Amino acid sequence: MSWSELPSIAPMLWLTVGGCVLLLVDAFVERERKGHLAVLAGIFLSIAALSARDQFGDHGGSLLSGALNADAFGSYFHLTFILIALLTVALGAVYFRREERETAEFYPLVLFATVGMMIMASATDMISIFIGLELMSVAIYVLVASQRHSLFSVEAGFKYLLLGAFSSAFLLYGLALLYGAMGTTSFTAMAQQVRQGAEVTAKPFFWMGWGLVLVGLGFKIAMVPFHMWTPDVYEGAPAPVAGFMAAGVKAAAFAALLRVAWVGLPAMAPTWTALLSGAAVVTMTFGNLVAIAQSSLKRMLAYSAIAHSGYLLVGVISVGGQPSDPATRGVLFYLATYAIMNVGAFAIVTLVSRRGEELTQLAGYAGLARRSPLAAVALTVCMLSLAGVPPTAGFWGKFYVFEAAVRAGRVPLAVIAVLNSVVAAYYYLRVVVQLFMREPGEEAYAGSDVQASVVLTAAAVLLLWIGLFPAPVAELALRGAQALAASF
């Protein structure tokens, strides 16, 4: 590594240093309350955001001997991950203060997980993706089980650890087979070999390797049939961690999947399309139908996350390999807005829950508009955005992805996705009905924490602002798509 590369990896360096500083501060500054750690984490995340903004659009090319790439694609995701982490840190401070079980490791783990996500988004080598995936995953395993006094939290962490280890094994074995077939782990070198002829693509190891890589990434995006962990882990994890997973882990996995798609697309287009089209239809349909039957908000959001993976797969399938690819732009736009929706939705769980008892049952949100009108309106915006109702950001996310599918000739797939969106509107609007049209029950509780309210309100305002003025974010997403095309 040369000194000239340091500015390009500055966001990752700041967060890595920040995580280490937080560990040292906690070790040497003995305080019962851990609010100072949340402030320090926010400072380092803000510095990293400024660094990522300064690097946005920088076509610095290959970094660390080809392991990473400095481009607008990576910077777009870096800013998205940092925003998710900032909101998560703010919610985590509220959650653990209320529980009176301050968990100091929460803050450095969020920073380290964010670094892993950044590596996945900037990786141009299979080994780099695996390193980023494991850095992110190990931190998430611990975060999910961070409430050690809760059997649900420990069980969720254990399930995620076991299934995550299996998915990592599939991914690593797939990488080994691809290396055996192609003699390289570099995405650029792989893409060149694929475009040059059929010699490489005729090898059985090539197809087996790509299949196993898709299985490994399919677990992280909660694609059916690799979704089994999602509802139990989301329900058992602390609400801020569940939101962090729903937003950050999915975005990082799709960033890696987009790079994989660009590498293998020329040789695998027919097989790739048939396989992922079937997976997309099953994923979105299964997620929506099961979400209808849920009485728990967290489990409903978990199955909703599965359905949204199906919508995003429609965008991945529609990737045409062009510099101004509308499908890649649509997926990037969708991921950023989806992240805000989910953090906002899980913020309401943090806001209205009592100490030692998360309010997850939908009945507990009945009449919330009377007790906390601002929270009810903000949650309504998040639900409408998840449903894709204008003028929220979620509408434009689905519009860009479905439009790209139609342009790519995937009209039946787009129609199925639209029909699924109509089905999904039922269970999202059911939450809104609970907020405004039901009488409060005995379990009803109105949260009053200012910090959580600010996070929820900020998410709602962002969703409305992007919904009314989508062009700036769409332009950034387009620049990211063009950078991804240029890297190959």
Side-chain angles (χ1 to χ4, degrees):
M1 183 186 76
S2 64
W3 290 104
S4 61
E5 294 178 345
L6 286 178
S8 297
I9 59 173
M12 302 179 211
L13 289 178
W14 276 115
L15 295 187
T16 303
V17 171
C20 296
V21 169
L22 289 173
L23 291 173
L24 292 173
V25 169
D26 182 59
F28 290 103
V29 180
E30 296 184 4
R31 293 180 61 179
E32 184 178 353
R33 297 291 185 182
K34 304 299 180 182
H36 61 295
L37 297 181
V39 173
L40 280 174
I43 291 172
F44 278 105
L45 284 165
S46 299
I47 296 172
L50 293 174
S51 300
R53 184 201 63 183
D54 292 339
Q55 296 299 321
F56 195 93
D58 178 23
H59 296 277
S62 179
L63 300 172
L64 303 178
S65 301
L68 305 175
N69 197 53
D71 55 20
F73 180 81
S75 297
Y76 180 89
F77 278 103
H78 292 179
L79 289 170
T80 301
F81 298 145
I82 291 170
L83 174 61
I84 296 167
L86 275 168
L87 297 176
T88 301
V89 165
L91 290 176
V94 173
Y95 183 90
F96 292 111
R97 182 174 66 244
R98 187 190 64 223
E99 293 295 310
E100 296 183 1
R101 295 178 181 271
E102 296 280 8
T103 306
E105 62 269 21
F106 172 81
Y107 305 103
L109 285 172
V110 168
L111 298 191
F112 290 139
T114 305
V115 174
M117 295 172 189
M118 289 178 167
I119 293 173
M120 290 181 69
S122 297
T124 53
D125 188 280
M126 286 290 193
I127 295 176
S128 303
I129 280 189
F130 184 75
I131 292 173
L133 178 71
E134 288 305 293
L135 177 58
M136 174 188 73
S137 298
V138 171
I140 297 292
Y141 298 152
V142 181
L143 286 171
V144 171
S146 57
Q147 291 294 79
R148 293 183 291 274
H149 65 284
S150 169
L151 291 177
F152 289 108
S153 179
V154 174
E155 179 188 2
F158 188 61
K159 285 181 179 179
Y160 194 38
L161 171 63
L162 285 180
L163 293 175
F166 276 111
S167 72
S168 295
F170 278 114
L171 180 63
L172 189 59
Y173 192 38
L175 300 183
L177 291 176
L178 285 174
Y179 180 76
M182 308 182 78
T184 181
T185 57
S186 167
F187 282 144
T188 304
M190 285 182 174
Q192 290 175 350
Q193 289 190 39
V194 168
R195 292 185 177 94
Q196 284 174 356
E199 181 179 349
V200 171
T201 59
K203 297 179 180 179
F205 282 180
F206 176 85
W207 294 97
M208 292 172 61
W210 281 121
L212 291 175
V213 167
L214 286 176
V215 169
L217 293 177
F219 172 87
K220 293 301 179 185
I221 66 174
M223 179 180 72
V224 175
F226 313 112
H227 65 286
M228 299 81 68
W229 59 275
T230 311
D232 289 341
V233 173
Y234 277 38
E235 186 173 41
V241 176
F244 187 56
M245 292 173 61
V249 173
K250 187 183 294 293
F254 267 103
L257 185 60
L258 280 172
R259 290 197 184 272
V260 169
W262 274 78
V263 172
L265 200 61
M268 301 169 61
T271 305
W272 172 278
T273 300
L275 179 65
L276 285 189
S277 293
V281 171
V282 173
T283 299
M284 68 178 83
T285 304
F286 174 84
N288 284 323
L289 292 179
V290 180
I292 291 175
Q294 302 306 309
S295 60
S296 164
L297 180 62
K298 289 178 76 174
R299 290 187 75 87
M300 187 202 81
L301 290 172
Y303 285 106
S304 162
I306 295 171
H308 281 277
S309 292
Y311 303 143
L312 285 161
L313 283 173
V314 172
V316 175
I317 295 164
S318 305
V319 168
Q322 302 300 320
S324 298
D325 193 345
T328 308
R329 180 197 63 174
V331 172
L332 265 61
F333 186 98
Y334 199 127
L335 285 169
T337 54
Y338 176 76
I340 301 170
M341 303 173 212
N342 266 277
V343 173
F346 282 101
I348 192 67
V349 180
T350 304
L351 175 64
V352 304
S353 296
R354 296 184 178 94
R355 177 175 176 267
E357 180 187 1
E358 282 191 351
L359 183 58
T360 60
Q361 293 300 309
L362 290 175
Y365 293 86
L368 182 65
R370 301 181 187 179
R371 295 170 282 128
S372 183
L374 182 62
V377 171
L379 180 59
T380 298
V381 172
C382 292
M383 291 294 108
L384 293 178
S385 190
L386 284 166
V389 176
T392 62
F395 167 77
W396 291 106
K398 289 185 177 179
F399 176 80
Y400 288 139
V401 168
F402 299 164
E403 179 199 29
V406 173
R407 287 189 181 186
R410 319 289 182 197
V411 177
L413 198 58
V415 170
I416 294 173
V418 171
L419 293 175
N420 268 278
S421 296
V422 174
V423 173
Y426 167 77
Y427 58 82
Y428 291 128
L429 293 178
R430 185 177 60 179
V431 177
V432 178
V433 170
Q434 287 285 338
L435 299 177
F436 292 93
M437 302 180 186
R438 294 287 184 268
E439 292 295 329
E442 294 181 358
E443 62 277 294
Y445 172 69
S448 59
D449 191 279
V450 175
Q451 199 166 311
S453 299
V454 168
V455 171
L456 179 59
T457 304
V461 170
L462 277 173
L463 292 173
L464 286 174
W465 180 79
I466 296 173
L468 293 171
F469 308 101
V473 178
E475 176 62 27
L476 295 178
L478 179 60
R479 290 168 62 183
Q482 292 171 339
L484 178 62
S487 64
F488 293 104

